[in-house]
């Protein structure tokens, strides 16, 4: 699955930390494609067991962290866990089948 990340139109370059929970019932390779995300900003990708994140060529991976995590099975429980762990959830998306996911990040 390719995860496309770019800032909302009102933000020229996104310069804030991000945390992603990438959950799947089967292990996946998450291919990350980014546009206009500042380098050197902490971005964390938690993936379900057996999954990995592949970064594009460049320096983005130097400030990104990937960690395998055991997530709750049901989405309601995952959302509750994320809210408890991080205090807020700004976006939650559930897809049954997808090769590309487009996410706009920003204020």
């Amino acid at each position: 699955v390719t995860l496309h990340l770019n800032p909302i139109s009102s933000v020229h370059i996104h310069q804030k930390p991000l945390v992603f929970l990438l959950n799947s019932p089967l292990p996946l390779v998450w291919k990350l494609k980014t546009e206009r995300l500042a380098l050197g900003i902490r971005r964390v990708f938690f993936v379900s067991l057996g999954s990995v994140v592949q970064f594009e060529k460049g320096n983005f991976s130097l400030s990104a962290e990937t960690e395998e995590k055991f997530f709750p099975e049901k989405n309601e429980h995952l959302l509750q866990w994320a809210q408890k762990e991080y205090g807020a959830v700004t976006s939650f998306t559930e897809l049954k089948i997808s090769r590309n996911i487009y996410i706009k990040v920003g204020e």
Side-chain angles (χ1 to χ4, degrees):
V1 175
T2 303
L3 183 61
H4 301 264
L5 302 178
N6 55 23
I8 59 175
S9 60
S10 62
V11 174
H12 183 63
I13 296 179
H14 188 269
Q15 300 187 41
K16 294 187 177 182
L18 295 168
V19 176
F20 289 90
L21 309 178
L22 304 174
N23 189 26
S24 172
L26 298 172
L28 284 179
V29 175
W30 296 90
K31 296 179 182 180
L32 196 64
K33 295 205 178 279
T34 63
E35 288 182 35
R36 300 183 356 252
L37 300 185
L39 299 177
I41 305 294
R42 184 172 186 245
R43 296 182 180 97
V44 182
F45 298 87
F46 291 108
V47 295
S48 47
L49 300 178
S51 293
V52 295
V53 177
Q54 289 181 348
F55 298 98
E56 292 179 289
K57 293 179 181 177
N59 294 330
F60 184 83
S61 63
L62 298 176
S63 59
E65 302 169 33
T66 304
E67 182 180 326
E68 283 187 66
K69 197 100 165 155
F70 178 79
F71 292 121
E73 270 188 47
K74 297 190 176 195
N75 284 334
E76 301 82 32
H77 298 143
L78 177 61
L79 185 56
Q80 290 170 353
W81 175 84
Q83 288 172 327
K84 182 180 174 186
E85 193 76 17
Y86 296 100
V89 173
T90 56
S91 177
F92 185 92
T93 304
E94 175 186 8
L95 301 167
K96 296 292 183 193
I97 298 173
S98 183
R99 290 180 186 232
N100 291 282
I101 301 171
Y102 296 85
I103 297 179
K104 299 269 189 191
V105 296
E107 300 297 323

